[in-house]
Amino acid sequence: MNPFTATLLYLGIWFLTVFVVLPIGLRTQGDDGSIVPGTHAGAPDNYQFRRMFLRVTIVATVIWALIVYMLLFT
């Protein structure tokens, strides 16, 4: 597999995984009852970008490794 193709495959899987992982564990201001004036009740209350980024990277890497393994060795 070409390194460019492998990189594009990883980036595609990573971006798809972002949209799956984003709502997991998300607490909104409406859920916590602490709505900041001028914001929507569905806005995140305590958004942890680093934790979400780490989750997405780990899950995407595992999925990517499985797909590359299937493409190269089966």
Side-chain angles (χ1 to χ4, degrees):
M1 176 181 283
N2 185 338
F4 182 72
T5 306
T7 303
L8 284 180
L9 178 65
Y10 181 77
L11 289 175
I13 292 170
W14 192 90
F15 279 108
L16 288 174
T17 307
V18 165
F19 293 112
V20 173
V21 173
L22 262 176
I24 296 174
L26 180 69
R27 301 276 309 161
T28 64
Q29 292 178 7
D31 292 339
D32 290 339
S34 59
I35 301 172
V36 177
T39 62
H40 191 272
D45 185 37
N46 187 11
Y47 187 67
Q48 299 173 346
F49 180 75
R50 289 186 179 130
R51 180 180 282 177
M52 188 272 307
F53 184 82
L54 182 65
R55 284 182 192 166
V56 168
T57 303
I58 290 170
V59 171
T61 303
V62 169
I63 294 171
W64 177 80
L66 289 172
I67 291 173
V68 169
Y69 177 79
M70 289 188 308
L71 288 173
L72 294 178
F73 300 112
T74 58

